[in-house]
Every structure is written in C-alpha cells, then in structure tokens.
Amino acid sequence: MTSHAEIERVAFRLFAEKGFVGTTLDDIAQAAGIGRRTLLRYYRSKNDIPWGQFDDTLDEFRNTLHTFDDRPLHEAVHLAVIEFNRFPAEAMAEHRVRMRLILTTPELQAHSVLRYADWRQVIAEYVAERTGSDPSALLPQTASQVALSLSMAGYGEWLSNDDTELSTVLEQALRTLHGYLEV
Amino acid sequence: MTSHAEIERVAFRLFAEKGFVGTTLDDIAQAAGIGRRTLLRYYRSKNDIPWGQFDDTLDEFRNTLHTFDDRPLHEAVHLAVIEFNRFPAEAMAEHRVRMRLILTTPELQAHSVLRYADWRQVIAEYVAERTGSDPSALLPQTASQVALSLSMAGYGEWLSNDDTELSTVLEQALRTLHGYLEV
DNA sequence: CACAATAATGGCACTCAGGGTCAAAATGGA
DNA sequence: TCCATTTTGACCCTGAGTGCCATTATTGTG
C-alpha cells in the first residue's frame, strides 16, 4: 500500500542525497516501489511533490480569515497569514526542510507562484467580500500580492536564522513595511 | 542574418496563432529559418523568448534608481519603478501583447519569478546601500518584494483596461496599499 | 587577395518530464 | 465466490533541453 506520506518520505530522502534536479521521477518511483506512471497520478508533476497536500489547507485558511471578521481588514489578513503558518512544534523541522527546498531550487521557486495563486485567491476573495468589490479589482489583488510578498520576505529571513520563529518574522516583515513606507 | 528581433517577431506570430504551449521550438526555428539548436543558443529556454532582452534593461534601472538619491527611500523606489515602465507610445501595443502573454500563460507566469529575481535584486541592493545594510536583510528584501507585488497588481489592472496608463495604475496600486494598511 | 584563427551554426543523439491508451491486478460489495 | 469498479503500471509517444562535433561564416593579418 502506497501513501502520499510514504512517497514524500522517499522523495525527500533522494532530494537530500542527489538534489531536486538530480533526482528523476524514475528514481523516486523505483525507490517507492511503484511505477513512474503511478507516481505521476499521485502528483501532477515532479514540481508538485514537495508541496504535499498544500491545497487541502486552503479551506482552513478561508475559515481562519473569517475568524477575524471583527478586526480591521488588513489586520484580519495579517493575523490569518500568521495563523496559516502555525505548525505543531514537532512539524517545524520538516517544514523547514520542505520550504528550504522549495525556496532555493529555481524550478520550485518558479512553480511556487502557481501554487500560491490559489492561496492569493483566497485572500482576494475575502478582501473583495469585505469591501463589496470584485476579487479581480485593484484592492483585493494588491492586498493579496502584498500579503504574499511579506510572507516571502519573512520566509527568507526565517530560513537564514535557525533560531527564529515564523510568526515573529512575519510580524517583523509587516512592521518593516510600515517603517519603509512612512520614513 | 538572424536577429533577436526577427526571431521574436516570428515567435509572437506563432504564439498568437497556436498559443504558447501549442507552439514548439521546432515550429519557431523552422519559421525563422534557423536550426532548433541555434534557437536555443539565442534564448536559454522557450520560456525566455517572450522576455527578449529584459536583462539588458537592468543596468538602466540601476541608474534610474540613483537618479532619485535625494528623495525619500520608498519614493525613490516607487519613481524608479514607474520610470522603468515608461515606453515610447509606439511601443506600448507590443508591450501589452508581450505582457499579456507572460501574465496569462501559466508556464510563463511561473518562469517570471526567475526573471524578476534579478530585477528585485537591483532594488534590494539599492535599498541596502542607502540603509547601510546587506541586500539579503529584511528591509531590502521586503522593499523589493513589495515593489514587485505592486507592479504585478498594477499590470493586472492595466491589462484588464485597454485605456489605462501604466504609470497611472502603478501609482494607484501604491495608493491602494496605503489605504489598505491605514484604514 | 589569400590564409589562418575564431566564432557561429545546425545536425545528431541522448536524457528526462509528462501524457494517452489499455490490459492486468487489486479492491469491494452482493 | 463472482461481478463491477478502481488502481496500477507497462508501453509508446511528444517536446524541452544538453553535449558533441563537423561544417560554415566572419574577422583579422600578412
């Protein structure tokens, strides 16, 4: 019996050994004891393997946003982003490995915008709903783009300091933006 | 004699006819009267073809930034971004086609982060220089990420309204961010 | 003008990602 | 146990991208 968890365990081991590019789908399939064709049914592409079940978390993200309906809009988004990036302590080590791979491998960096497009859409829809506008309008799009850019800046900082907290750097990124825009 | 301009003219015609994905490198090479191998020496990849000589514009961008050394930091970046996106009136139609292709084709959307990485780096280095910090520090990274996110939001708006000015929407995007963060 | 050095070209063969098709195998009721 | 429905993986194909190398410009020099 094969599972996503098992495949990812095997894949990450190979990525660590031979690098993402240096690992072929055949390598992963063989190491996982399944056919290459089957592997590509579990994941839409090689680039999607490191993302695991990311899409499944978006529903929860949507709910989290509505948790903050009573807060000012920008604050609601900010708090929800922080909440989205909260993981149990024992999962942080794995999350670091995963995100370091994604954010340092050019192929995966590129692919990430496609995965984050849905994430941004969740924010855009929330902002649109609260402002009575269309998700494609300038405010929802700007808010979601900026939310992503702050997350990226935060993650970069987080990955370069092993002893920082994700929630802390995301907070710092927002404060940094405030300082940058006002001074 | 083949030139980048000639190749791109041929390529964009084919992209318009058969779509980006539906056009093969063989199609382009054949239509341009060159070998596929040669085409891949002119452009690092199929994804790079729509970008033309983008990298060459970065030196000018760097200079433009220093034009605004006497302005507040965030203003200097903002003005330079607008200046970077100024094109002669007769070039705007082509620029629209180019950017619409890039921003609506998933493969090219993904690839764009790799191309924009160098653009962001120019901003990060400028901000680092003016604040006496490292380009990889949080402020330079945040500033460059946000500058890109505002540009993306602006371009989205620009592409959806044929009669808007690029400089206008970029201005609007920044004002929208201010409004979003303060209200 | 001729000739040598250097650069550009494109043909060939190869690896790898990804997708379509289909028969075999596993699964899960009735 | 038998039938129906997924799941699997083997096979084959296309297309991007790379290394290698012989051929063909191009350019500089006498």
Side-chain angles (χ1 to χ4, degrees):
Chain A
M1 215 227 71
T2 39
S3 68
H4 281 79
E6 175 59 20
I7 293 176
E8 280 162 48
R9 191 164 26 249
V10 168
F12 272 94
R13 179 172 57 73
L14 290 173
F15 293 156
E17 285 172 15
K18 327 203 288 180
F20 181 78
V21 177
T23 304
T24 69
L25 290 175
D26 276 312
D27 291 338
I28 301 169
Q30 194 180 357
I34 60 176
R36 193 179 62 109
R37 200 64 188 74
T38 303
L39 178 58
L40 278 173
R41 279 204 197 86
Y42 275 74
Y43 300 92
R44 282 197 302 265
S45 74
K46 182 182 175 183
N47 287 340
D48 285 303
I49 296 176
W51 288 84
Q53 13 56 319
F54 177 78
D55 287 348
D56 299 347
T57 66
L58 294 185
D59 278 337
E60 195 189 339
F61 185 38
R62 221 181 313 265
N63 294 336
T64 304
L65 276 164
H66 283 294
T67 295
F68 301 112
D69 279 344
D70 55 335
R71 303 288 196 116
L73 182 54
H74 65 103
E75 203 175 308
V77 172
H78 176 62
L79 292 172
V81 169
I82 287 181
E83 184 57 31
F84 178 80
N85 284 289
R86 193 180 304 283
F87 298 91
E90 67 273 18
M92 288 313 282
E94 187 206 309
H95 187 53
R96 257 205 147 83
V97 171
R98 191 183 290 264
M99 295 312 291
R100 171 162 284 125
L101 180 68
I102 290 175
L103 296 179
T104 59
T105 306
E107 286 79 4
L108 295 175
Q109 274 176 41
H111 186 68
S112 71
V113 307
L114 302 180
R115 301 306 304 258
Y116 283 132
D118 295 330
W119 184 87
R120 281 198 296 105
Q121 181 66 12
V122 172
I123 295 182
E125 282 169 5
Y126 180 75
V127 172
E129 191 184 323
R130 282 195 53 171
T131 59
S133 56
D134 192 274
S136 67
L138 191 53
L139 173 56
Q141 287 298 311
T142 301
S144 65
Q145 289 278 9
V146 168
L148 179 57
S149 70
L150 291 178
S151 297
M152 298 302 273
Y155 263 93
E157 187 69 8
W158 181 64
L159 286 176
S160 65
N161 293 57
D162 271 2
D163 50 345
T164 56
E165 205 72 47
L166 202 34
S167 59
T168 307
V169 291
L170 292 173
E171 193 75 55
Q172 280 177 349
L174 178 59
R175 268 205 291 272
T176 300
L177 175 59
H178 270 108
Y180 167 69
L181 287 179
E182 279 165 19
V183 174
Chain B
M1 212 221 84
T2 40
S3 66
H4 281 81
E6 175 59 18
I7 294 176
E8 281 163 46
R9 191 162 26 249
V10 168
F12 271 95
R13 180 172 56 73
L14 290 173
F15 293 155
E17 285 172 15
K18 324 201 290 180
F20 180 77
V21 176
T23 304
T24 70
L25 290 175
D26 277 311
D27 291 338
I28 301 169
Q30 194 180 354
I34 59 176
R36 193 178 63 107
R37 198 65 187 75
T38 303
L39 178 59
L40 278 173
R41 277 203 197 85
Y42 275 75
Y43 300 92
R44 282 198 303 265
S45 73
K46 181 182 175 184
N47 286 340
D48 285 302
I49 296 177
W51 288 85
Q53 13 55 321
F54 176 78
D55 287 348
D56 299 347
T57 64
L58 294 185
D59 278 337
E60 195 188 339
F61 185 39
R62 222 180 312 267
N63 294 336
T64 304
L65 276 163
H66 283 293
T67 295
F68 301 112
D69 279 344
D70 56 334
R71 304 287 197 117
L73 182 55
H74 65 103
E75 202 176 308
V77 172
H78 176 61
L79 292 172
V81 169
I82 287 180
E83 184 58 32
F84 178 81
N85 285 288
R86 193 180 304 284
F87 299 90
E90 67 272 17
M92 288 313 283
E94 187 207 310
H95 187 55
R96 258 206 148 81
V97 171
R98 190 183 291 263
M99 295 312 291
R100 172 161 282 126
L101 180 69
I102 290 175
L103 297 180
T104 60
T105 306
E107 287 79 5
L108 295 175
Q109 274 175 42
H111 185 69
S112 70
V113 307
L114 302 180
R115 301 306 305 255
Y116 282 133
D118 294 331
W119 184 87
R120 281 197 296 104
Q121 181 65 14
V122 172
I123 295 181
E125 282 168 6
Y126 179 74
V127 172
E129 191 184 324
R130 283 194 52 171
T131 58
S133 56
D134 192 274
S136 67
L138 191 53
L139 173 57
Q141 287 299 310
T142 301
S144 65
Q145 289 279 8
V146 169
L148 179 57
S149 70
L150 291 178
S151 297
M152 298 303 274
Y155 263 92
E157 188 70 8
W158 181 63
L159 286 175
S160 66
N161 293 58
D162 271 1
D163 50 344
T164 56
E165 204 73 46
L166 201 36
S167 58
T168 308
V169 291
L170 291 173
E171 194 75 58
Q172 280 176 349
L174 179 59
R175 266 205 293 273
T176 300
L177 175 60
H178 270 109
Y180 167 69
L181 287 179
E182 281 164 17
V183 175

